[in-house]
Every structure is written in C-alpha cells, then in structure tokens.
Amino acid sequence: MSTFVTAGRIVLGAGVAEQVPDLVAGLGRRVLVVAGRSADVAALPAAAVHRHRGEPDVEAVRAVVALAREVRPDVVVGWGGGSVLDLAKCVAVLAPGDGDVLDHLEVVGRGLPLPDGALPVVAVPTTAGTGAEVTANAPVRVPERGVKASLRGRAMLPSVAVVDPLLTLGCPPALTAASGVDALTQCLEAFTTPHATPLTDPLARDGLVRAGRSLRRVVEHGDDVDARTDLSVAALQSGMALANAKLGAVHGLAAALGGRLGAPHGQVCAAVLAATTAANVAALRRTAPDGPGLARYDDAAVALTGRPGARADDAVAWLADLVAALAVPGLGALGLARDDVPDVVADALAASSTRGNPVTLTPAELTDVVAASW
C-alpha cells in the first residue's frame, strides 16, 4: 500500500513568482509574511513582515507565533530559503491554538499530534535545496539539547508551492552548493530507503539525474537558467519524495550535528554524505549482497554518473569527487569537538531519519563515518 501527499497546488516555472500576490489573495486578506533578509516582498499587502535568517530554533518559533497570534492573519507566506519556509509552516500550524512548539516537537518534546485548523501557507523558495515547499515537517533547533527535531504531520503541508528558478539566480556559490547537495542527498536517501514507493521512485531518480548533471555547473555558472531550473526541480522532487518515503543516516547525523554546530544544514549533510554512503554500501554488501538495497545504489550510480554500467562503488566515488570539487568543509572545520562524537552518534541513532536507512549501522560504524568526515 502506498499513499502520496504533497502541497495543495504546485506552480513551477521561470517567472511564476509574479503570480504570488494573486495566489495569496485567493486564500485571505490579512497576510503574515515570513521572509529572508533580502527577499523582495513589497508586492504583498502584508499585515506584518518578519525577517528571519538562519535555521529556526525554539525561541524563534515562539517569537513569530506570538506575532501571528497578535496579527491574526488569514494566510502565511514563506518567502526565502528552506529555513524561512520551515518557520512559516511552524507558525501556520501553531498560531491558531494556544500550545507551545515543545508540545509537538518529536524526540525532545512531548510529541503530541499537531492541532487541526492550520493557516494556509504559500511557500516561495529562493534556494534549491530542502524542498520545504512540499514537505510535511519542519526541523527546529533545540540549542539546550544540542539537536534538531521536527514538527511533523500533514497539517504542515503548504497550500501552494510557487517554485520559480529565477529567484535562485542571486544565490552565491557556497549557498548554491550546500543547498544543492541537500537536494541530491534527499533524492538519494528517499530512493534507497526501504520505504520508497512506486510513486516516489520516479521523482527521486529524476532528481538524481538533474542534480548529477547540473550541480557542479550551477555552482560554477550561477547565471545558467537551465542548470538553475534543474536544481529547483530536483529540490522540489526531493521534498515530494521524502515526504512520502523516508530519509536515512545522513539526515540522522545532520540532525545530531546541526543542533551543535549551527552550520547550514546542507553543509552538514555534504560533510557526511560520501562516508555515510560508503558505510551503507559496505554494510549491505556484507549483510545482503543479493538484496534490493545494494541494487538501489547501483541504480543511483547510473542516475548520478549517466553511465549505464555504473555500480554502487561508482556512486560512492562520484559523491566523494563532488564534495571535494565543491570544497565542502569537514566536521572539524565546522566546529565539531572530538569529545562530542559519542553523543553525536547516540543522537543520530535516535533520530527519526535514521529509521529510514537501508541498513542498520552500528555505533562503531557511525563513529567511523564521523571520523572519515572530519
């Protein structure tokens, strides 16, 4: 049995951001805009605009929820990177009630179901990475616990996703690289998880093809609209796929590391991507050499490299070359302390994303992944 949920409506194409004011007007009159620092939202008749930078933490969510409860909007617009969209989604689902974010946060909160009656969200991404415009969750940093955990449920799905590749033209190379690797990682994990479905497979596979052929190109040539479009579509597909399948140990580690490091999510994923994939392939070859898990990595290798005969080890090598070419900093450079490694591994094993990994990695194997990603 498979089910598939996504945003209520998806509008995709160069220039479609011009439609946002009309799309918003169709959902309500009072508008709360959650925007990135440089997002141009002047065309929106907003009751209030909150500018946000960085990944949302518990206090940021509380502050904007309080603003929303004061403004009482009919609709929330998220216009910015994935973190901005996640914050908008948190606000839309929490503001109509009287609960706190920790009431519903998984793993480190009470984990209560999300309340009914969420406000409609119009999500307008300005980066090509998380696919947050079509996902049913929102990661939130919990600094006092040193982790990130998610609000999760169908109420988080935006009413409208407006994906305009032209909005990503201003992304600098480092942000483009980190976001793009996140999209690629989400496609790879949604494709190789045992929870993949016949509905998510085509999305994840095509996302791997698009990211494989265009990610390096768009980092080197940021004005290439075709490459930008490939990455925007890959990010969208990655969000649709992960929302209906699962992720894996890369995102499990990212959840454990992101709360400690404060580094961009895409950078953290990129730092551990090649080593985690290598560990998964080695564990599958040892435990299930003829099983579907290893065959999935063979298929992913073909999609990434464009070579019909590529195998799982080629995917590992391709990913290692990509990370090197993009000059992705290692975990040590991102600020991880050696003494924190045991806690990182323990938190990664408990993370919800890790449950979708195609093979169970031991604490020793995850420790080796962290060491190899230093």
PDB file of all heavy atoms in Angstrom, residues 309-351:
ATOM      1  N   GLY A 309      26.517   1.328 -17.049  1.00  0.00           N
ATOM      2  CA  GLY A 309      27.100   0.222 -16.301  1.00  0.00           C
ATOM      3  C   GLY A 309      27.590   0.580 -14.920  1.00  0.00           C
ATOM      4  O   GLY A 309      28.261  -0.235 -14.274  1.00  0.00           O
ATOM      5  N   ALA A 310      27.287   1.757 -14.428  1.00  0.00           N
ATOM      6  CA  ALA A 310      27.801   2.188 -13.127  1.00  0.00           C
ATOM      7  C   ALA A 310      27.232   1.330 -11.995  1.00  0.00           C
ATOM      8  O   ALA A 310      26.110   0.830 -12.073  1.00  0.00           O
ATOM      9  CB  ALA A 310      27.455   3.659 -12.896  1.00  0.00           C
ATOM     10  N   ARG A 311      28.042   1.184 -10.953  1.00  0.00           N
ATOM     11  CA  ARG A 311      27.658   0.371  -9.802  1.00  0.00           C
ATOM     12  C   ARG A 311      27.747   1.192  -8.515  1.00  0.00           C
ATOM     13  O   ARG A 311      28.155   2.362  -8.537  1.00  0.00           O
ATOM     14  CB  ARG A 311      28.569  -0.866  -9.695  1.00  0.00           C
ATOM     15  CG  ARG A 311      28.681  -1.666 -10.973  1.00  0.00           C
ATOM     16  CD  ARG A 311      27.443  -2.460 -11.258  1.00  0.00           C
ATOM     17  NE  ARG A 311      27.336  -3.628 -10.380  1.00  0.00           N
ATOM     18  CZ  ARG A 311      26.353  -4.501 -10.433  1.00  0.00           C
ATOM     19  NH1 ARG A 311      25.379  -4.342 -11.333  1.00  0.00           N
ATOM     20  NH2 ARG A 311      26.326  -5.525  -9.613  1.00  0.00           N
ATOM     21  N   ALA A 312      27.386   0.574  -7.408  1.00  0.00           N
ATOM     22  CA  ALA A 312      27.308   1.287  -6.138  1.00  0.00           C
ATOM     23  C   ALA A 312      28.621   1.977  -5.773  1.00  0.00           C
ATOM     24  O   ALA A 312      28.630   3.121  -5.305  1.00  0.00           O
ATOM     25  CB  ALA A 312      26.888   0.316  -5.028  1.00  0.00           C
ATOM     26  N   ASP A 313      29.746   1.288  -5.983  1.00  0.00           N
ATOM     27  CA  ASP A 313      31.037   1.903  -5.655  1.00  0.00           C
ATOM     28  C   ASP A 313      31.308   3.138  -6.511  1.00  0.00           C
ATOM     29  O   ASP A 313      32.003   4.064  -6.068  1.00  0.00           O
ATOM     30  CB  ASP A 313      32.171   0.894  -5.837  1.00  0.00           C
ATOM     31  CG  ASP A 313      32.168  -0.177  -4.756  1.00  0.00           C
ATOM     32  OD1 ASP A 313      31.613   0.081  -3.666  1.00  0.00           O
ATOM     33  OD2 ASP A 313      32.709  -1.275  -5.000  1.00  0.00           O
ATOM     34  N   ASP A 314      30.765   3.169  -7.722  1.00  0.00           N
ATOM     35  CA  ASP A 314      30.913   4.355  -8.567  1.00  0.00           C
ATOM     36  C   ASP A 314      30.136   5.532  -7.980  1.00  0.00           C
ATOM     37  O   ASP A 314      30.566   6.686  -8.093  1.00  0.00           O
ATOM     38  CB  ASP A 314      30.430   4.070  -9.988  1.00  0.00           C
ATOM     39  CG  ASP A 314      31.246   2.999 -10.668  1.00  0.00           C
ATOM     40  OD1 ASP A 314      32.489   3.070 -10.621  1.00  0.00           O
ATOM     41  OD2 ASP A 314      30.645   2.068 -11.253  1.00  0.00           O
ATOM     42  N   ALA A 315      28.998   5.251  -7.360  1.00  0.00           N
ATOM     43  CA  ALA A 315      28.239   6.313  -6.703  1.00  0.00           C
ATOM     44  C   ALA A 315      29.030   6.890  -5.540  1.00  0.00           C
ATOM     45  O   ALA A 315      29.085   8.118  -5.354  1.00  0.00           O
ATOM     46  CB  ALA A 315      26.890   5.780  -6.206  1.00  0.00           C
ATOM     47  N   VAL A 316      29.661   6.023  -4.744  1.00  0.00           N
ATOM     48  CA  VAL A 316      30.477   6.492  -3.630  1.00  0.00           C
ATOM     49  C   VAL A 316      31.615   7.369  -4.133  1.00  0.00           C
ATOM     50  O   VAL A 316      31.864   8.465  -3.602  1.00  0.00           O
ATOM     51  CB  VAL A 316      31.029   5.298  -2.830  1.00  0.00           C
ATOM     52  CG1 VAL A 316      32.013   5.779  -1.766  1.00  0.00           C
ATOM     53  CG2 VAL A 316      29.895   4.512  -2.178  1.00  0.00           C
ATOM     54  N   ALA A 317      32.299   6.918  -5.180  1.00  0.00           N
ATOM     55  CA  ALA A 317      33.418   7.698  -5.727  1.00  0.00           C
ATOM     56  C   ALA A 317      32.927   9.019  -6.302  1.00  0.00           C
ATOM     57  O   ALA A 317      33.576  10.064  -6.130  1.00  0.00           O
ATOM     58  CB  ALA A 317      34.146   6.884  -6.790  1.00  0.00           C
ATOM     59  N   TRP A 318      31.799   8.989  -6.994  1.00  0.00           N
ATOM     60  CA  TRP A 318      31.253  10.213  -7.597  1.00  0.00           C
ATOM     61  C   TRP A 318      30.913  11.228  -6.516  1.00  0.00           C
ATOM     62  O   TRP A 318      31.196  12.423  -6.653  1.00  0.00           O
ATOM     63  CB  TRP A 318      30.017   9.860  -8.414  1.00  0.00           C
ATOM     64  CG  TRP A 318      29.484  10.985  -9.255  1.00  0.00           C
ATOM     65  CD1 TRP A 318      29.775  11.250 -10.556  1.00  0.00           C
ATOM     66  CD2 TRP A 318      28.547  11.997  -8.836  1.00  0.00           C
ATOM     67  NE1 TRP A 318      29.089  12.366 -10.988  1.00  0.00           N
ATOM     68  CE2 TRP A 318      28.332  12.846  -9.952  1.00  0.00           C
ATOM     69  CE3 TRP A 318      27.887  12.268  -7.660  1.00  0.00           C
ATOM     70  CZ2 TRP A 318      27.475  13.935  -9.900  1.00  0.00           C
ATOM     71  CZ3 TRP A 318      27.036  13.367  -7.589  1.00  0.00           C
ATOM     72  CH2 TRP A 318      26.835  14.188  -8.707  1.00  0.00           C
ATOM     73  N   LEU A 319      30.302  10.771  -5.426  1.00  0.00           N
ATOM     74  CA  LEU A 319      29.949  11.673  -4.335  1.00  0.00           C
ATOM     75  C   LEU A 319      31.190  12.244  -3.665  1.00  0.00           C
ATOM     76  O   LEU A 319      31.229  13.437  -3.321  1.00  0.00           O
ATOM     77  CB  LEU A 319      29.083  10.946  -3.310  1.00  0.00           C
ATOM     78  CG  LEU A 319      27.686  10.532  -3.787  1.00  0.00           C
ATOM     79  CD1 LEU A 319      27.019   9.628  -2.758  1.00  0.00           C
ATOM     80  CD2 LEU A 319      26.818  11.758  -4.056  1.00  0.00           C
ATOM     81  N   ALA A 320      32.219  11.413  -3.468  1.00  0.00           N
ATOM     82  CA  ALA A 320      33.463  11.909  -2.870  1.00  0.00           C
ATOM     83  C   ALA A 320      34.102  12.968  -3.759  1.00  0.00           C
ATOM     84  O   ALA A 320      34.592  14.000  -3.271  1.00  0.00           O
ATOM     85  CB  ALA A 320      34.428  10.748  -2.630  1.00  0.00           C
ATOM     86  N   ASP A 321      34.103  12.734  -5.073  1.00  0.00           N
ATOM     87  CA  ASP A 321      34.648  13.723  -6.006  1.00  0.00           C
ATOM     88  C   ASP A 321      33.837  15.019  -5.975  1.00  0.00           C
ATOM     89  O   ASP A 321      34.398  16.113  -6.039  1.00  0.00           O
ATOM     90  CB  ASP A 321      34.654  13.153  -7.432  1.00  0.00           C
ATOM     91  CG  ASP A 321      35.713  12.087  -7.634  1.00  0.00           C
ATOM     92  OD1 ASP A 321      36.618  11.985  -6.774  1.00  0.00           O
ATOM     93  OD2 ASP A 321      35.632  11.356  -8.640  1.00  0.00           O
ATOM     94  N   LEU A 322      32.516  14.893  -5.883  1.00  0.00           N
ATOM     95  CA  LEU A 322      31.662  16.079  -5.840  1.00  0.00           C
ATOM     96  C   LEU A 322      31.973  16.927  -4.613  1.00  0.00           C
ATOM     97  O   LEU A 322      32.151  18.150  -4.717  1.00  0.00           O
ATOM     98  CB  LEU A 322      30.187  15.657  -5.813  1.00  0.00           C
ATOM     99  CG  LEU A 322      29.187  16.797  -5.599  1.00  0.00           C
ATOM    100  CD1 LEU A 322      29.094  17.666  -6.850  1.00  0.00           C
ATOM    101  CD2 LEU A 322      27.803  16.252  -5.230  1.00  0.00           C
ATOM    102  N   VAL A 323      32.023  16.291  -3.456  1.00  0.00           N
ATOM    103  CA  VAL A 323      32.281  17.030  -2.219  1.00  0.00           C
ATOM    104  C   VAL A 323      33.642  17.713  -2.275  1.00  0.00           C
ATOM    105  O   VAL A 323      33.801  18.856  -1.833  1.00  0.00           O
ATOM    106  CB  VAL A 323      32.166  16.078  -1.012  1.00  0.00           C
ATOM    107  CG1 VAL A 323      32.663  16.746   0.254  1.00  0.00           C
ATOM    108  CG2 VAL A 323      30.717  15.625  -0.832  1.00  0.00           C
ATOM    109  N   ALA A 324      34.642  17.006  -2.841  1.00  0.00           N
ATOM    110  CA  ALA A 324      35.974  17.607  -2.972  1.00  0.00           C
ATOM    111  C   ALA A 324      35.942  18.789  -3.929  1.00  0.00           C
ATOM    112  O   ALA A 324      36.534  19.842  -3.662  1.00  0.00           O
ATOM    113  CB  ALA A 324      36.972  16.553  -3.445  1.00  0.00           C
ATOM    114  N   ALA A 325      35.236  18.630  -5.058  1.00  0.00           N
ATOM    115  CA  ALA A 325      35.170  19.702  -6.050  1.00  0.00           C
ATOM    116  C   ALA A 325      34.471  20.936  -5.506  1.00  0.00           C
ATOM    117  O   ALA A 325      34.822  22.071  -5.863  1.00  0.00           O
ATOM    118  CB  ALA A 325      34.460  19.205  -7.308  1.00  0.00           C
ATOM    119  N   LEU A 326      33.495  20.737  -4.636  1.00  0.00           N
ATOM    120  CA  LEU A 326      32.757  21.857  -4.063  1.00  0.00           C
ATOM    121  C   LEU A 326      33.437  22.447  -2.833  1.00  0.00           C
ATOM    122  O   LEU A 326      32.930  23.401  -2.244  1.00  0.00           O
ATOM    123  CB  LEU A 326      31.335  21.421  -3.705  1.00  0.00           C
ATOM    124  CG  LEU A 326      30.450  20.955  -4.865  1.00  0.00           C
ATOM    125  CD1 LEU A 326      29.071  20.547  -4.357  1.00  0.00           C
ATOM    126  CD2 LEU A 326      30.329  22.036  -5.931  1.00  0.00           C
ATOM    127  N   ALA A 327      34.581  21.864  -2.449  1.00  0.00           N
ATOM    128  CA  ALA A 327      35.355  22.351  -1.299  1.00  0.00           C
ATOM    129  C   ALA A 327      34.498  22.410  -0.033  1.00  0.00           C
ATOM    130  O   ALA A 327      34.520  23.388   0.718  1.00  0.00           O
ATOM    131  CB  ALA A 327      35.967  23.718  -1.591  1.00  0.00           C
ATOM    132  N   VAL A 328      33.747  21.348   0.194  1.00  0.00           N
ATOM    133  CA  VAL A 328      32.892  21.281   1.373  1.00  0.00           C
ATOM    134  C   VAL A 328      33.753  21.119   2.625  1.00  0.00           C
ATOM    135  O   VAL A 328      34.605  20.229   2.683  1.00  0.00           O
ATOM    136  CB  VAL A 328      31.913  20.095   1.255  1.00  0.00           C
ATOM    137  CG1 VAL A 328      31.140  19.911   2.553  1.00  0.00           C
ATOM    138  CG2 VAL A 328      30.953  20.314   0.088  1.00  0.00           C
ATOM    139  N   PRO A 329      33.584  21.981   3.634  1.00  0.00           N
ATOM    140  CA  PRO A 329      34.387  21.835   4.859  1.00  0.00           C
ATOM    141  C   PRO A 329      34.005  20.578   5.624  1.00  0.00           C
ATOM    142  O   PRO A 329      32.839  20.160   5.620  1.00  0.00           O
ATOM    143  CB  PRO A 329      34.056  23.100   5.660  1.00  0.00           C
ATOM    144  CG  PRO A 329      32.739  23.567   5.135  1.00  0.00           C
ATOM    145  CD  PRO A 329      32.695  23.153   3.696  1.00  0.00           C
ATOM    146  N   GLY A 330      35.001  19.969   6.284  1.00  0.00           N
ATOM    147  CA  GLY A 330      34.749  18.800   7.100  1.00  0.00           C
ATOM    148  C   GLY A 330      34.174  19.168   8.455  1.00  0.00           C
ATOM    149  O   GLY A 330      34.034  20.343   8.811  1.00  0.00           O
ATOM    150  N   LEU A 331      33.836  18.146   9.239  1.00  0.00           N
ATOM    151  CA  LEU A 331      33.186  18.384  10.527  1.00  0.00           C
ATOM    152  C   LEU A 331      34.097  19.135  11.489  1.00  0.00           C
ATOM    153  O   LEU A 331      33.614  19.950  12.298  1.00  0.00           O
ATOM    154  CB  LEU A 331      32.749  17.054  11.140  1.00  0.00           C
ATOM    155  CG  LEU A 331      31.668  16.290  10.359  1.00  0.00           C
ATOM    156  CD1 LEU A 331      31.331  14.982  11.066  1.00  0.00           C
ATOM    157  CD2 LEU A 331      30.409  17.139  10.188  1.00  0.00           C
ATOM    158  N   GLY A 332      35.385  18.879  11.434  1.00  0.00           N
ATOM    159  CA  GLY A 332      36.306  19.616  12.289  1.00  0.00           C
ATOM    160  C   GLY A 332      36.304  21.091  11.966  1.00  0.00           C
ATOM    161  O   GLY A 332      36.248  21.946  12.868  1.00  0.00           O
ATOM    162  N   ALA A 333      36.337  21.410  10.676  1.00  0.00           N
ATOM    163  CA  ALA A 333      36.309  22.815  10.260  1.00  0.00           C
ATOM    164  C   ALA A 333      34.975  23.471  10.603  1.00  0.00           C
ATOM    165  O   ALA A 333      34.916  24.688  10.828  1.00  0.00           O
ATOM    166  CB  ALA A 333      36.575  22.918   8.755  1.00  0.00           C
ATOM    167  N   LEU A 334      33.905  22.678  10.667  1.00  0.00           N
ATOM    168  CA  LEU A 334      32.593  23.219  11.029  1.00  0.00           C
ATOM    169  C   LEU A 334      32.435  23.409  12.533  1.00  0.00           C
ATOM    170  O   LEU A 334      31.428  23.964  12.977  1.00  0.00           O
ATOM    171  CB  LEU A 334      31.484  22.305  10.503  1.00  0.00           C
ATOM    172  CG  LEU A 334      31.327  22.252   8.976  1.00  0.00           C
ATOM    173  CD1 LEU A 334      30.248  21.248   8.585  1.00  0.00           C
ATOM    174  CD2 LEU A 334      31.000  23.621   8.404  1.00  0.00           C
ATOM    175  N   GLY A 335      33.433  22.925  13.302  1.00  0.00           N
ATOM    176  CA  GLY A 335      33.426  23.210  14.736  1.00  0.00           C
ATOM    177  C   GLY A 335      33.120  22.044  15.653  1.00  0.00           C
ATOM    178  O   GLY A 335      32.960  22.240  16.860  1.00  0.00           O
ATOM    179  N   LEU A 336      33.063  20.829  15.125  1.00  0.00           N
ATOM    180  CA  LEU A 336      32.769  19.686  15.990  1.00  0.00           C
ATOM    181  C   LEU A 336      33.965  19.368  16.872  1.00  0.00           C
ATOM    182  O   LEU A 336      35.104  19.315  16.397  1.00  0.00           O
ATOM    183  CB  LEU A 336      32.402  18.462  15.151  1.00  0.00           C
ATOM    184  CG  LEU A 336      31.996  17.217  15.939  1.00  0.00           C
ATOM    185  CD1 LEU A 336      30.718  17.467  16.732  1.00  0.00           C
ATOM    186  CD2 LEU A 336      31.819  16.020  15.016  1.00  0.00           C
ATOM    187  N   ALA A 337      33.726  19.137  18.149  1.00  0.00           N
ATOM    188  CA  ALA A 337      34.774  18.745  19.078  1.00  0.00           C
ATOM    189  C   ALA A 337      34.844  17.221  19.171  1.00  0.00           C
ATOM    190  O   ALA A 337      33.816  16.540  19.127  1.00  0.00           O
ATOM    191  CB  ALA A 337      34.494  19.338  20.461  1.00  0.00           C
ATOM    192  N   ARG A 338      36.035  16.705  19.289  1.00  0.00           N
ATOM    193  CA  ARG A 338      36.203  15.248  19.366  1.00  0.00           C
ATOM    194  C   ARG A 338      35.419  14.660  20.543  1.00  0.00           C
ATOM    195  O   ARG A 338      34.874  13.553  20.440  1.00  0.00           O
ATOM    196  CB  ARG A 338      37.689  14.908  19.519  1.00  0.00           C
ATOM    197  CG  ARG A 338      38.567  15.319  18.342  1.00  0.00           C
ATOM    198  CD  ARG A 338      38.471  14.350  17.205  1.00  0.00           C
ATOM    199  NE  ARG A 338      39.414  14.701  16.122  1.00  0.00           N
ATOM    200  CZ  ARG A 338      39.498  14.047  14.972  1.00  0.00           C
ATOM    201  NH1 ARG A 338      38.701  13.000  14.755  1.00  0.00           N
ATOM    202  NH2 ARG A 338      40.346  14.418  14.042  1.00  0.00           N
ATOM    203  N   ASP A 339      35.371  15.374  21.637  1.00  0.00           N
ATOM    204  CA  ASP A 339      34.681  14.855  22.817  1.00  0.00           C
ATOM    205  C   ASP A 339      33.178  14.706  22.592  1.00  0.00           C
ATOM    206  O   ASP A 339      32.509  13.975  23.338  1.00  0.00           O
ATOM    207  CB  ASP A 339      34.915  15.786  24.014  1.00  0.00           C
ATOM    208  CG  ASP A 339      36.349  15.746  24.514  1.00  0.00           C
ATOM    209  OD1 ASP A 339      37.078  14.820  24.125  1.00  0.00           O
ATOM    210  OD2 ASP A 339      36.734  16.657  25.278  1.00  0.00           O
ATOM    211  N   ASP A 340      32.645  15.396  21.590  1.00  0.00           N
ATOM    212  CA  ASP A 340      31.200  15.333  21.334  1.00  0.00           C
ATOM    213  C   ASP A 340      30.797  14.152  20.456  1.00  0.00           C
ATOM    214  O   ASP A 340      29.593  13.900  20.285  1.00  0.00           O
ATOM    215  CB  ASP A 340      30.733  16.628  20.648  1.00  0.00           C
ATOM    216  CG  ASP A 340      30.683  17.806  21.605  1.00  0.00           C
ATOM    217  OD1 ASP A 340      30.626  17.571  22.827  1.00  0.00           O
ATOM    218  OD2 ASP A 340      30.726  18.957  21.127  1.00  0.00           O
ATOM    219  N   VAL A 341      31.770  13.450  19.889  1.00  0.00           N
ATOM    220  CA  VAL A 341      31.442  12.406  18.919  1.00  0.00           C
ATOM    221  C   VAL A 341      30.546  11.316  19.507  1.00  0.00           C
ATOM    222  O   VAL A 341      29.552  10.920  18.867  1.00  0.00           O
ATOM    223  CB  VAL A 341      32.726  11.805  18.308  1.00  0.00           C
ATOM    224  CG1 VAL A 341      32.390  10.588  17.432  1.00  0.00           C
ATOM    225  CG2 VAL A 341      33.454  12.861  17.486  1.00  0.00           C
ATOM    226  N   PRO A 342      30.816  10.779  20.714  1.00  0.00           N
ATOM    227  CA  PRO A 342      29.912   9.738  21.244  1.00  0.00           C
ATOM    228  C   PRO A 342      28.469  10.220  21.382  1.00  0.00           C
ATOM    229  O   PRO A 342      27.533   9.476  21.078  1.00  0.00           O
ATOM    230  CB  PRO A 342      30.524   9.399  22.607  1.00  0.00           C
ATOM    231  CG  PRO A 342      31.972   9.744  22.463  1.00  0.00           C
ATOM    232  CD  PRO A 342      31.991  10.969  21.599  1.00  0.00           C
ATOM    233  N   ASP A 343      28.274  11.459  21.815  1.00  0.00           N
ATOM    234  CA  ASP A 343      26.917  11.978  21.944  1.00  0.00           C
ATOM    235  C   ASP A 343      26.271  12.177  20.574  1.00  0.00           C
ATOM    236  O   ASP A 343      25.058  11.948  20.405  1.00  0.00           O
ATOM    237  CB  ASP A 343      26.924  13.309  22.701  1.00  0.00           C
ATOM    238  CG  ASP A 343      27.215  13.128  24.184  1.00  0.00           C
ATOM    239  OD1 ASP A 343      27.023  12.006  24.697  1.00  0.00           O
ATOM    240  OD2 ASP A 343      27.652  14.104  24.814  1.00  0.00           O
ATOM    241  N   VAL A 344      27.061  12.615  19.594  1.00  0.00           N
ATOM    242  CA  VAL A 344      26.539  12.769  18.234  1.00  0.00           C
ATOM    243  C   VAL A 344      26.051  11.428  17.709  1.00  0.00           C
ATOM    244  O   VAL A 344      24.963  11.315  17.122  1.00  0.00           O
ATOM    245  CB  VAL A 344      27.623  13.357  17.304  1.00  0.00           C
ATOM    246  CG1 VAL A 344      27.204  13.218  15.832  1.00  0.00           C
ATOM    247  CG2 VAL A 344      27.871  14.826  17.634  1.00  0.00           C
ATOM    248  N   VAL A 345      26.839  10.400  17.890  1.00  0.00           N
ATOM    249  CA  VAL A 345      26.470   9.069  17.410  1.00  0.00           C
ATOM    250  C   VAL A 345      25.199   8.585  18.112  1.00  0.00           C
ATOM    251  O   VAL A 345      24.281   8.053  17.464  1.00  0.00           O
ATOM    252  CB  VAL A 345      27.633   8.079  17.619  1.00  0.00           C
ATOM    253  CG1 VAL A 345      27.176   6.644  17.373  1.00  0.00           C
ATOM    254  CG2 VAL A 345      28.790   8.441  16.692  1.00  0.00           C
ATOM    255  N   ALA A 346      25.114   8.778  19.418  1.00  0.00           N
ATOM    256  CA  ALA A 346      23.923   8.350  20.158  1.00  0.00           C
ATOM    257  C   ALA A 346      22.681   9.094  19.683  1.00  0.00           C
ATOM    258  O   ALA A 346      21.611   8.489  19.482  1.00  0.00           O
ATOM    259  CB  ALA A 346      24.132   8.565  21.659  1.00  0.00           C
ATOM    260  N   ASP A 347      22.820  10.407  19.460  1.00  0.00           N
ATOM    261  CA  ASP A 347      21.672  11.187  18.987  1.00  0.00           C
ATOM    262  C   ASP A 347      21.294  10.805  17.559  1.00  0.00           C
ATOM    263  O   ASP A 347      20.106  10.791  17.206  1.00  0.00           O
ATOM    264  CB  ASP A 347      21.985  12.682  19.057  1.00  0.00           C
ATOM    265  CG  ASP A 347      22.003  13.205  20.492  1.00  0.00           C
ATOM    266  OD1 ASP A 347      21.463  12.516  21.374  1.00  0.00           O
ATOM    267  OD2 ASP A 347      22.580  14.292  20.716  1.00  0.00           O
ATOM    268  N   ALA A 348      22.278  10.504  16.738  1.00  0.00           N
ATOM    269  CA  ALA A 348      21.990  10.103  15.356  1.00  0.00           C
ATOM    270  C   ALA A 348      21.232   8.781  15.324  1.00  0.00           C
ATOM    271  O   ALA A 348      20.307   8.595  14.523  1.00  0.00           O
ATOM    272  CB  ALA A 348      23.283   9.996  14.550  1.00  0.00           C
ATOM    273  N   LEU A 349      21.603   7.858  16.191  1.00  0.00           N
ATOM    274  CA  LEU A 349      20.905   6.571  16.243  1.00  0.00           C
ATOM    275  C   LEU A 349      19.450   6.734  16.678  1.00  0.00           C
ATOM    276  O   LEU A 349      18.579   5.962  16.273  1.00  0.00           O
ATOM    277  CB  LEU A 349      21.631   5.622  17.196  1.00  0.00           C
ATOM    278  CG  LEU A 349      22.965   5.057  16.690  1.00  0.00           C
ATOM    279  CD1 LEU A 349      23.708   4.363  17.810  1.00  0.00           C
ATOM    280  CD2 LEU A 349      22.728   4.095  15.535  1.00  0.00           C
ATOM    281  N   ALA A 350      19.173   7.772  17.490  1.00  0.00           N
ATOM    282  CA  ALA A 350      17.808   8.007  17.963  1.00  0.00           C
ATOM    283  C   ALA A 350      16.990   8.876  17.021  1.00  0.00           C
ATOM    284  O   ALA A 350      15.774   8.983  17.189  1.00  0.00           O
ATOM    285  CB  ALA A 350      17.855   8.667  19.345  1.00  0.00           C
ATOM    286  N   ALA A 351      17.641   9.491  16.030  1.00  0.00           N
ATOM    287  CA  ALA A 351      16.956  10.431  15.141  1.00  0.00           C
ATOM    288  C   ALA A 351      15.940   9.703  14.266  1.00  0.00           C
ATOM    289  O   ALA A 351      16.164   8.561  13.830  1.00  0.00           O
ATOM    290  CB  ALA A 351      17.964  11.164  14.266  1.00  0.00           C
TER     291      ALA A 351
END
